[in-house]
Amino acid sequence: QVQLVESGGGLVQAGGSLRLSCAASESIFSIIAMGWYRQAPGKQRELVATITNSGSTNYADSVKGRFTISRGNAKNTVALQMNSLKPEDTAVYYCNADRTRDRRSWGQGTQVTVSS
């Protein structure tokens, strides 16, 4: 079974940048689309960005122009570059498959805290 481990979160001031990484214990090449999600306290988990095996990307309106999702060369990694961070970006960030049928167990996630 695939295990997902997120890393790269931390505390950053508004306007700063962070790069999140997701490492899978097995190849995720066969998964059509991978995505980054986030969940703030008291709110539902929301989809932030997705990337397909063909390289097509999609972003939530709230992060367009600021975040960039990409796949690593090893076929088992996916990254999220976050620029111009805002306090409302504060959340626990997770990676997983976009399609429900491809979902693995949710990992621990990585905390991103943006101060004002």
Side-chain angles (χ1 to χ4, degrees):
Q1 298 296 308
V2 174
Q3 180 179 338
L4 301 170
V5 180
E6 301 91 350
S7 63
L11 176 64
V12 65
Q13 193 170 31
S17 300
L18 285 173
R19 184 177 177 84
L20 307 184
S21 295
C22 173
S25 59
E26 300 175 23
S27 176
I28 55 175
F29 179 77
S30 62
I31 299 177
I32 296 176
M34 289 292 295
W36 278 96
Y37 303 77
R38 67 186 182 187
Q39 186 168 27
K43 297 184 178 181
Q44 289 190 329
R45 183 186 297 111
E46 65 173 336
L47 182 64
V48 175
T50 61
I51 184 167
T52 68
N53 286 337
S54 64
S56 297
T57 58
N58 281 293
Y59 300 90
D61 290 339
S62 60
V63 306
K64 285 183 178 178
R66 300 189 298 119
F67 291 10
T68 302
I69 188 171
S70 62
R71 284 181 180 269
N73 297 128
K75 299 182 180 180
N76 66 338
T77 59
V78 61
L80 184 70
Q81 177 67 45
M82 306 185 295
N83 299 324
S84 302
L85 285 163
K86 305 174 180 179
E88 52 262 44
D89 293 319
T90 295
V92 176
Y93 284 71
Y94 305 87
C95 65
N96 215 324
D98 183 31
R99 298 199 305 175
T100 302
R101 71 180 71 181
D102 294 326
R103 293 275 172 78
R104 270 61 175 173
S105 296
W106 295 98
Q108 187 176 77
T110 184
Q111 177 71 51
V112 172
T113 302
V114 184
S115 65
S116 59

